[in-house]
Amino acid sequence: MARLIVKSPYIKGGGKSGGGGGAGGYARYIGTRDGVEQLPSGYMGYMADRPRSHGLFGDEDTVDLNATMQELNNYPGNIWTHIISLKREDAERLCYDHAAQWRNLLRTHRNEIAEAMHIPPSDFRWVAAFHDEGDHPHVHMMAWSAKPGQAYLSQDSIRQIKSKLTNDIFKQEMLHTYEQKSSSRDELVLQARAEMKSLTREMRHSIGNHPEIESLMMTLSSQLETVKGKKEIRLSPQRCKEHRG
């Protein structure tokens, strides 16, 4: 079962399409609905201590809700509304139960998301909001191009976005798993070496009881020192039976 869920529908830009006031209304909805987490505004001085009226964030520390709504209401192209969510237990364990962590994640991968949407990074526009709700804390991300008609998104592109974000979110756990596997492999190697040493001692003891085998092995060893190329040692079934008893 997928640990990160990514859904990527789209809506038409403009102020009259897509109920609830169109694209601008959708931005207002995700930024002000119950459960949204508001981040510090980022303004200098006393403004930094004042709460924001919405929870939208983007490339800049401060998103102007009214300006964003106006841009979206005047936009003639498609706007993708990515919904990215985690299970509650994963979000809490990995610290993705607050807006700042999601903001950092999306900022880190904004160019890769833009590439998946076939938008040059310089033309990529986006805002998002985090909702700490129920069993699946999630972000709503609105993404579009400064040049209408430029962007498009395929199923492969959605999988690409999901892969990039999943690898980042779960990288510490994946690293820990790799370290555990590496440690287990090292333990197996050490155990195998110990058993090989024990087997070698047993073989030496067995050869000591059979002078003819010791002589043959010494002759073979001398010959192998002068033979070039691939070397392969085989014992015939009959010879193996003779020296077991």
Side-chain angles (χ1 to χ4, degrees):
M1 183 179 295
R3 301 177 71 180
L4 179 71
I5 300 172
V6 178
K7 298 179 181 178
S8 300
Y10 69 89
I11 59 178
K12 294 287 186 181
K16 297 181 180 180
S17 61
Y26 185 82
R28 179 178 58 200
Y29 169 73
I30 67 172
T32 61
R33 61 171 289 187
D34 291 341
V36 68
E37 180 181 334
Q38 297 185 13
L39 290 165
S41 65
Y43 285 126
M44 299 297 290
Y46 75 96
M47 288 295 292
D49 298 324
R50 296 181 59 183
R52 299 198 313 179
S53 60
H54 64 84
L56 292 181
F57 56 82
D59 284 329
E60 303 297 332
D61 288 339
T62 301
V63 173
D64 187 322
L65 176 59
N66 292 329
T68 299
M69 290 178 60
Q70 183 176 357
E71 178 179 353
L72 293 172
N73 285 336
N74 293 329
Y75 188 77
N78 294 333
I79 299 160
W80 274 262
T81 57
H82 304 295
I83 305 170
I84 308 166
S85 66
L86 286 168
K87 290 183 177 181
R88 168 64 61 183
E89 56 267 29
D90 289 335
E92 291 180 350
R93 186 179 69 258
L94 301 169
C95 300
Y96 279 89
D97 56 349
H98 58 91
Q101 189 80 335
W102 284 102
R103 180 186 62 187
N104 294 340
L105 178 76
L106 296 180
R107 284 180 176 178
T108 297
H109 295 283
R110 56 97 66 196
N111 287 354
E112 293 165 323
I113 296 172
E115 179 182 1
M117 297 181 66
H118 303 89
I119 303 174
S122 59
D123 293 334
F124 188 61
R125 303 288 184 269
W126 69 281
V127 293
F130 171 68
H131 299 153
D132 187 18
E133 298 179 346
D135 294 332
H136 288 86
H138 59 276
V139 290
H140 288 268
M141 179 184 190
M142 301 182 72
W144 67 98
S145 172
K147 299 176 181 177
Q150 185 178 58
Y152 68 92
L153 196 65
S154 65
Q155 288 300 317
D156 285 340
S157 299
I158 296 173
R159 284 191 287 268
Q160 181 181 342
I161 293 172
K162 181 177 179 179
S163 176
K164 294 292 186 182
L165 299 181
T166 298
N167 289 341
D168 196 337
I169 292 172
F170 292 96
K171 65 182 178 183
Q172 292 301 325
E173 284 193 338
M174 293 165 63
L175 178 60
H176 179 63
T177 300
Y178 173 80
E179 290 174 344
Q180 287 183 321
K181 290 182 178 179
S182 178
S183 177
S184 297
R185 185 174 62 249
D186 291 343
E187 290 176 3
L188 287 174
V189 170
L190 291 175
Q191 182 179 353
R193 287 177 179 173
E195 292 183 0
M196 286 297 294
K197 288 180 180 179
S198 176
L199 180 59
T200 300
R201 287 194 296 268
E202 291 179 9
M203 290 178 64
R204 287 175 180 172
H205 177 71
S206 177
I207 291 174
N209 293 333
H210 298 278
E212 69 279 13
I213 296 180
E214 185 175 4
S215 177
L216 287 172
M217 291 298 291
M218 291 179 64
T219 301
L220 177 61
S221 177
S222 177
Q223 290 176 345
L224 288 175
E225 291 179 0
T226 60
V227 174
K228 297 181 179 179
K230 183 178 180 180
K231 306 171 183 65
E232 186 174 3
I233 303 174
R234 293 186 181 182
L235 294 178
S236 68
Q238 185 60 35
R239 179 63 65 86
C240 290
K241 290 180 182 178
E242 290 175 357
H243 295 292
R244 286 198 191 104

